[in-house]
Amino acid sequence: MTDRDREGIALELIPEREGHISLKTGSGPGRIACDAESLAGAVSQRACVFCGARVVINPVADALHLIHGPIGCSTYTWDIRGSLSSGPELHRLSFSTDLREKDVIFGGEDKLYRALTELIEAHRPRGAFVYATCIAGVIGDDIKAVCARVEKENGLPVIPVQSEGFKGNKNAGYKAACHALFNLVSRGGRRDARPLSMNILGDFNLAGELWMVREYFERMGLEVVANISGDSRVEQVMRAGEAALNVVQCSGSMMHLARMMERAYGIPHLRVSYVGLDDMAGSLTRVADFFGDGKISARTRELIEGELQALEPELARYRRRLAGRVAAVYVGGAFKAVSLIRAFRSLDMQVAVVGSQTGKESDYDEIRAAADPGTVIVDDANPLELAQLMQSRGVDIFVGGVKERPVAYKLGVAFCDHNHERKRPLEGFAGMLNFAREVHDSIFSPVWRFIPRAGSGQQSAHGR
Amino acid sequence: MAGNFVSTTNPCRMCRPLGACLAFRGIEDSMVLLHGSQGCSTYMRRYISSHFREPVDIASSSLSEKSAVYGGAESLKRGVKNVVDRYSPRVLGIATTCLTETIGDDVELIIGELLRDEPALREVEIIPVSTPSYSGGHYNGFHDSCVALISRLAQGGPRGDGVNLFPGFLSPADIRHLKDVMDGFGLSAVIIPDISETLDGGIVDSYRRIPAGGTPLEAVRRTGTAAFSLEFSAATPGRQSAALLLKESFSVPAERLPAPIGISYSDRFFQAVSRRAGRPVPEHFARQRERLLDAMVDAHKYLSGKRAAVYGDPDFVLGLSSFLADVGVVPAVIASGGGGREFISELELACAHLEDPPEILTYTDFGEIARAAAASGVDLLVGTSKGNHIARELQVPLMRAGFPIHDRIGGQRMLHVGYAGAMALLDLLTNTIIAGAQDELGYGYSYM
Ligand code: SF4
Ligand code: SF4
């Protein structure tokens, strides 16, 4: 702990957690322990493999999503995030085999078979995904075999998702999801690439964000073959092999799929981010450059200029108000954290604490490169650490998910949800304006005038 | 539910360890550790926190694939040590999950070994509870935990004049009201568990690892010497009754009642307390009852003939159904994700004066509730926010009550019990119905 103090982080930690927190001192490389299992007894903010798989695949709106496990795993993931669909909404129902004692003893394969058969009959989906949970894993049900049988009998894709919760963290769930999605893609197979066409990977259409970016690409003159998985359909995913390029957001969740498609079909991929103006504009430009088509490039420039111009006056107002404020960022994927650091910088704000639940070594390298000197970087944090960091770093606003919200509020710190529960788009050009507005409105709410900052021993430190 | 059950569509119950998390949260200086995979604990924290809007820390032994095969003893031991180290609880509940129940970890044995190796840990009351979700739901886990607390901690002794009150899972506002009632009767009551502060706290100057409040450990120990116990558990089987356990172990007289929701059940509660305390209902509460009666008369024409589908936890739904039947709304469909014999027979009594018996669904899901509500042509839904999809589909209002309420604020502050609670529910119910009628009439009437 003395090392920490020397670095000035001033944190009490469980000894095993030490390596998970570091301070960006200069530009030199640092190391952070990550991608390890969560520590027993620490209150991790992480979810399980199943959770990761479920959120990635679930937006496929005309598929039946059946959870093979006990009830809770299904209760807690029912309609868990608002992935909008322009058509069917079968994905908003939570189906479970609701395993009972006798299934655990005698096995749940027969029940799974009957559940699938009945539900397919009742809901007529275009395909089905069957998610394995921890219990399905331990009782050793052969989910693959059941899926194959039901697929043959009903003539529709029935795809097992190997997402037993204990097999790792969310990252492993993303991998399991990508395997399942690739299973579906491969049924369509590779056909001749359509010129000027692409797939959008890794956007889940929260608050209609996918529709927004899809429209950008279409305005540029590109054809979007499949969006996986926001507002997608089984047949659309099966056509993904026709695209000339995969554009991948949120490296954590969909890179596996992009790589599988590259390996199998030679479809190249580009990593992009739609969070923040620079990253959004840069992403569109890189996609345009990929196609090397003068007309597309010209249209892209025009689009970006137009969008930026429309935003600037209002954004300038927020920038004036927010300049010098301090943010903490704790999100699921490290890639988003990097975009948020840049987004805050464009508001003349500073990010003092940045972390992710499931970042990998290379992600943290990127975070370190993007962060200002003095920024605390943390992997798989627990609420006690987050609370201490918020207090010791003088944070004005915390960006995270709903689990962190009450911690911030209790400490008298403003909050912005950049996770599952957002209802207004935060991606894209217009999304940046929403983001600035949310950050501004929370920081400048009059309620803080009545609330002492925890640990400050004084009235609000927001200083208004 | 029918014997040919093979799947659930939109579950109407949470899992059993979640109930343990709620119950232990009502014990002072306590923490819970779930023995299982990390995901279960993260899910439950989010689910609880989104209703109460409070930080909810639930530790996990974070089993990996290896421990799922070879047993989770080492993870559990490490987990206990780390939670104690970080949170310094006086009480530590250890609830099992489906995973550790299935692989057959013997928590008692593992903890025994741990205490032998680490005598310092004996300072902490470690209380294992078995909560496999493949039998039962969160309401069972809640009662399991109360029983475990009592069986571990309660001590006998000369009979005092204290009172034990086991409220079951109600809102923090309900618990605060119950305290006022007991105070009003001049009784010194211990409420177990007491979530009134721990799940509905204020802004504080410094962040506490474990929020202030809850039933003190010493008070739980004293329960064996109380004059009597009251328990709101009419819809719960006797083997899950902490009050009955105290009766068996220490001869503390026990009275099990329905949760006092609505005037009928509130009368039963106030009469029981009055009889035991040997004094009449205090003026303050008698006046509340008079105002409630007045309000029921004012409201009755808006409500008469309306039909509702009501759903949620067995004990809570029993109370809500009785409340609706009291004020003239027919509980046409009564549903719970659980509900055994006790639940059904109490409901039949509560609804005996209705022209048509209600359709009672037990161990059901929202798929079935939707079908039953549509078939029965209900005018509104009453229950948790998880019925919002059905309300949208049927285009009827949803009056939110119970747990969870994830799409509105204030669930933790809703008062349901006593005459004051009945009044709050009545206003909410009547205004929900009036608002619907006003919209439907289309004229924009200025007087309704
Ligand atoms: S495995 Fe069991 S304890 Fe865990 S979330 Fe699922 S139902 Fe609940
Ligand atoms: S049982 Fe496994 S799959 Fe289900 S929530 Fe828990 S960790 Fe996840």
Side-chain angles (χ1 to χ4, degrees), chain B residues 67-378:
Chain B
S67 24
V69 178
Y70 299 111
E74 284 319 305
S75 303
L76 178 56
K77 290 179 188 171
R78 221 171 327 123
V80 170
K81 278 191 275 187
N82 280 332
V83 193
V84 170
D85 189 43
R86 299 307 292 144
Y87 287 84
S88 321
R90 290 191 70 200
V91 177
L92 176 63
I94 298 178
T96 55
T97 61
C98 305
L99 179 59
T100 45
E101 287 286 339
T102 308
I103 62 179
D105 270 2
D106 185 338
V107 174
E108 296 271 356
L109 194 93
I110 298 170
I111 295 300
E113 278 171 21
L114 177 65
L115 293 183
R116 253 197 319 283
D117 299 345
E118 309 260 346
L121 287 174
R122 290 188 202 143
E123 301 280 297
V124 185
E125 288 290 355
I126 298 180
I127 303 184
V129 194
S130 166
T131 44
S133 280
Y134 45 72
S135 58
H138 61 288
Y139 33 82
N140 299 108
F142 191 94
H143 291 297
D144 293 334
S145 307
C146 295
V147 168
L149 277 160
I150 293 303
S151 77
R152 285 265 160 169
L153 300 175
Q155 293 167 356
R159 175 102 30 254
D161 53 9
V163 178
N164 303 322
L165 177 58
F166 297 97
F169 180 35
L170 294 169
S171 78
D174 288 331
I175 305 299
R176 287 194 288 270
H177 185 68
L178 291 169
K179 282 185 184 169
D180 289 345
V181 173
M182 301 311 264
D183 284 349
F185 277 99
L187 294 170
S188 92
V190 176
I191 298 186
I192 311 131
D194 175 1
I195 57 168
S196 61
E197 296 298 321
T198 53
L199 281 173
D200 189 19
I203 288 274
V204 285
D205 194 34
S206 66
Y207 188 74
R208 296 187 48 138
R209 296 168 183 219
I210 300 179
T215 322
L217 177 55
E218 286 67 32
V220 183
R221 291 202 215 278
R222 273 200 313 271
T223 50
T225 64
F228 63 93
S229 305
L230 289 177
E231 185 179 74
F232 303 148
S233 61
T236 300
R239 71 191 131 75
Q240 288 208 297
S241 162
L244 286 184
L245 180 62
L246 278 174
K247 187 176 169 194
E248 275 161 34
S249 317
F250 304 107
S251 314
V252 181
E255 189 161 349
R256 301 176 71 212
L257 296 165
I261 299 173
I263 191 166
S264 300
Y265 286 172
S266 293
D267 280 346
R268 273 172 71 178
F269 168 59
F270 276 94
Q271 280 156 19
V273 181
S274 167
R275 181 169 21 86
R276 299 261 179 195
R279 48 189 286 191
V281 174
E283 177 65 18
H284 178 70
F285 298 105
R287 295 284 296 156
Q288 282 184 354
R289 186 176 193 278
E290 285 164 17
R291 272 194 296 276
L292 172 59
L293 286 176
D294 193 62
M296 284 168 66
V297 173
D298 291 341
H300 81 278
K301 297 266 287 234
Y302 298 107
L303 302 181
S304 59
K306 299 291 179 206
R307 297 158 57 77
V310 48
Y311 54 86
D313 306 354
D315 279 299
F316 194 76
V317 163
L318 173 62
L320 279 181
S321 307
S322 170
F323 158 76
L324 292 171
D326 284 343
V327 299
V329 171
V330 179
V333 176
I334 302 176
S336 177
R341 245 179 315 115
E342 300 81 1
F343 175 65
I344 294 172
S345 55
E346 286 288 337
L347 274 176
E348 282 167 356
L349 279 176
C351 298
H353 67 283
L354 298 178
E355 228 174 285
D356 297 311
E359 181 178 354
I360 299 175
L361 304 172
T362 57
Y363 291 95
T364 192
D365 58 24
F366 280 103
E368 276 188 40
I369 296 174
R371 272 192 296 279
S376 151
V378 298

Side-chain angles (χ1 to χ4, degrees), chain A residues 47-51 67-70 72-74 76-77 132-136 163-168, chain B residues 36-44 63 97-99:
Chain A
C48 62
V49 184
F50 159 66
C51 178
I67 300 163
H68 188 39
C73 317
S74 150
Y76 306 134
T77 53
T133 61
C134 292
I135 306 311
S163 53
E164 294 84 349
F166 51 70
K167 284 195 170 160
Chain B
S37 311
Q38 175 60 49
C40 311
S41 123
T42 300
Y43 276 140
M44 287 179 229
L63 294 197
T97 61
C98 305
L99 179 59

Side-chain angles (χ1 to χ4, degrees), chain A residues 69-321:
Chain A
I71 196 70
C73 317
S74 150
T75 305
Y76 306 134
T77 53
W78 175 18
D79 212 13
I80 190 170
R81 60 179 182 183
S83 294
L84 305 191
S85 162
S86 53
E89 292 199 331
L90 192 52
H91 68 302
R92 300 190 64 190
L93 304 184
S94 195
F95 300 108
S96 162
T97 47
D98 195 347
L99 291 178
R100 304 287 168 85
E101 201 146 10
K102 80 171 190 321
D103 308 316
V104 170
I105 298 165
F106 299 108
E109 286 174 24
D110 180 52
K111 193 178 196 185
L112 175 61
Y113 169 77
R114 287 195 297 147
L116 267 172
T117 309
E118 259 184 43
L119 291 169
I120 287 172
E121 165 80 29
H123 295 280
R124 306 249 157 236
R126 308 309 293 257
F129 291 96
V130 179
Y131 301 78
T133 61
C134 292
I135 306 311
V138 225
I139 62 180
D141 281 355
D142 189 349
I143 298 182
K144 261 196 198 141
V146 177
C147 286
R149 177 171 166 209
V150 176
E151 164 149 357
K152 210 151 123 228
E153 289 173 7
N154 292 271
L156 82 177
V158 180
I159 297 173
V161 186
Q162 300 295 332
S163 53
E164 294 84 349
F166 51 70
K167 284 195 170 160
N169 61 29
K170 243 181 171 176
N171 273 339
Y174 296 153
K175 227 182 245 172
C178 288
H179 276 286
L181 286 167
F182 185 69
N183 182 334
L184 192 54
V185 171
S186 62
R187 285 150 200 263
R190 178 61 167 167
R191 312 211 195 116
D192 288 342
R194 309 160 76 91
L196 304 187
S197 74
M198 57 179 281
N199 297 318
I200 301 177
L201 265 50
D203 195 286
F204 305 102
N205 204 27
L206 304 186
E209 286 169 342
L210 172 95
W211 293 329
M212 223 158 80
V213 288
R214 191 181 158 119
E215 195 216 275
Y216 295 151
F217 288 123
E218 285 168 354
R219 273 162 64 193
M220 285 160 58
L222 296 169
E223 181 198 358
V224 177
V225 179
N227 21 264
I228 306 178
S229 61
D231 195 23
S232 66
R233 308 286 181 271
V234 170
E235 263 134 49
Q236 191 196 39
V237 176
M238 284 165 61
R239 274 206 318 275
E242 297 172 20
L245 172 70
N246 278 326
V247 173
V248 198
Q249 160 150 280
C250 188
S251 58
S253 67
M254 285 274 180
M255 274 308 283
H256 306 293
L257 179 60
R259 285 208 198 94
M260 278 186 265
M261 288 174 72
E262 185 150 11
R263 234 176 285 129
Y265 307 140
I267 303 179
H269 69 267
L270 280 179
R271 256 174 85 173
V272 297
S273 164
Y274 311 131
V275 173
L277 298 182
D278 293 346
D279 284 14
M280 183 69 236
S283 296
L284 296 184
T285 308
R286 282 177 36 240
V287 173
D289 290 349
F290 170 86
F291 287 101
D293 176 309
K295 272 204 251 118
I296 289 183
S297 295
R299 276 194 293 256
T300 307
R301 270 194 303 279
E302 205 177 301
L303 184 158
I304 294 172
E305 260 164 48
E307 295 281 342
L308 289 179
Q309 257 169 27
L311 296 178
E312 190 44 36
E314 222 181 316
L315 214 51
R317 175 181 158 249
Y318 289 125
R319 202 177 291 127
R320 258 195 321 278
R321 302 262 293 171

